Amino acid sequence: MAGNLRHFLKLRDLAPAEARALLDRAIALKRDPQTNRRPLTGRNLAMVFAKSSTRTRVSFEVGMAKLGGHAVMLPTAQTQLGREEPLADTARVLSRYCDAIMIRNDSQADQEELARHAGVPVINGLSESHHPCQLLADMQTWLEHRGDPGGKVAAWIGDGNNVCNSWIEASALFGFRLRVATPHQYRPDAAALAYAGRAVRLYDDPRAAAAGADLIVTDTFTSMGREAERAERIQILSAFQVDARTMAAAKADALFMHCLPAHRGEEVTAEVIDGPHSVVWDEAENRMWAQMALLEFLLCPAATSSPSPFA
Ligand code: CP
Ligand code: NVA
């Protein structure tokens, strides 16, 4: 195994300067796709999916193609992982064919197990507790629309889920304050909160969290794997719906973000997600540019140096 092997299982796997350089590179790639000279020609990405995906799958597959490489789709049910081949053995085998492994599954611990036995970088494409690739895209989107997030205020309103945990890590990494409004049953991960420290404050009242915020963000009330709890969750979380009154409490030019897929009428009203504050389509697009920068960073760091467009 290479001594300098890097994985991306949580946002905090990046140092603040690395994260910022990666976003600058993502923006440079988006502005001028010719800057990328296909640095991943001949390289291959294994994409292991134990859960559904639209954005993550397509953005990684097309991103690899744009960089000159190739992606192999591996739905776990169609692999021997689905028949209980150990993760460690799968990691060893995929590392003999591929240059990186992206995995979307339930268990962060399983991703860490995969990474321990892989000879190539492992990327978290979503687990039950983190969604770091989403946050690269979200931070790129915030930077593009409003400049450096440093010193600004974001409010997460809804379920304290995997995306929320990665937002919490982002607050420490990018230097903004995050208010997290959730019902007490659905608080975020204690380890992510401990990592972020004073950057994050918990709220019971969503309107108080939104007051004067630069950005409002939410996600589904029912994450993948929690479908059996859907009715109970909608009942408990309904007071945390992001609606026009939530946006009116925030700054006049506040952004609205959502990782998608969205459920209009549940966590957000159609008026907000389809309205003037919403940047959700830019977020979705930026999944691809940010992950292209991540793949370059992990597989050929020399390609990533781009002057900051915001310098
Ligand atoms: N936001 C996100 O990860 O979308 P998919 O589930 O479609 O990949
Ligand atoms: N929190 C959601 C995110 C989907 C991209 C889930 O885990 O299903």
Side-chain angles (χ1 to χ4, degrees), residues 49 52-57 104 125-126 131 134 224 259-261 287:
F49 279 97
S52 304
S53 170
T54 299
R55 281 144 288 268
T56 304
R57 186 229 167 128
R104 166 171 289 197
L126 180 145
H131 196 1
Q134 182 65 49
M224 291 180 276
C259 65
L260 306 176
R287 290 293 304 277

Side-chain angles (χ1 to χ4, degrees), residues 204-309:
D204 297 316
D205 176 1
R207 217 53 58 70
D214 296 283
L215 185 151
I216 305 291
V217 55
T218 191
D219 184 17
T220 181
F221 289 161
T222 311
S223 285
M224 291 180 276
R226 304 219 174 254
E227 289 78 5
E229 304 165 15
R230 185 161 186 267
E232 183 188 2
R233 288 177 155 271
I234 289 175
Q235 194 190 0
I236 294 170
L237 282 151
S238 62
F240 291 77
Q241 181 187 69
V242 175
D243 59 13
R245 285 182 307 160
T246 320
M247 295 310 299
K251 280 198 179 141
D253 70 345
L255 299 178
F256 170 76
M257 289 196 184
H258 189 310
C259 65
L260 306 176
H263 307 79
R264 290 170 176 76
E266 291 184 18
E267 73 273 10
V268 61
T269 60
E271 185 183 11
V272 169
I273 196 167
D274 299 319
H277 297 279
S278 177
V279 290
V280 299
W281 313 121
D282 291 338
E283 278 182 274
E285 176 183 343
N286 286 340
R287 290 293 304 277
M288 183 178 72
W289 302 114
Q291 287 157 199
M292 285 168 67
L294 174 69
L295 288 161
E296 280 188 347
F297 172 78
L298 293 173
L299 295 178
C300 52
T304 64
S305 48
S306 265
S308 168

Side-chain angles (χ1 to χ4, degrees), residues 14-21 172-174 195:
L14 296 175
E18 290 174 332
R20 180 52 200 255
L173 205 59
F174 293 96
Y195 166 76

Side-chain angles (χ1 to χ4, degrees), residues 78-89:
Q78 292 171 31
T79 70
Q80 299 290 8
L81 269 174
R83 295 180 60 254
E84 301 186 358
E85 182 166 14
L87 272 168
D89 292 357

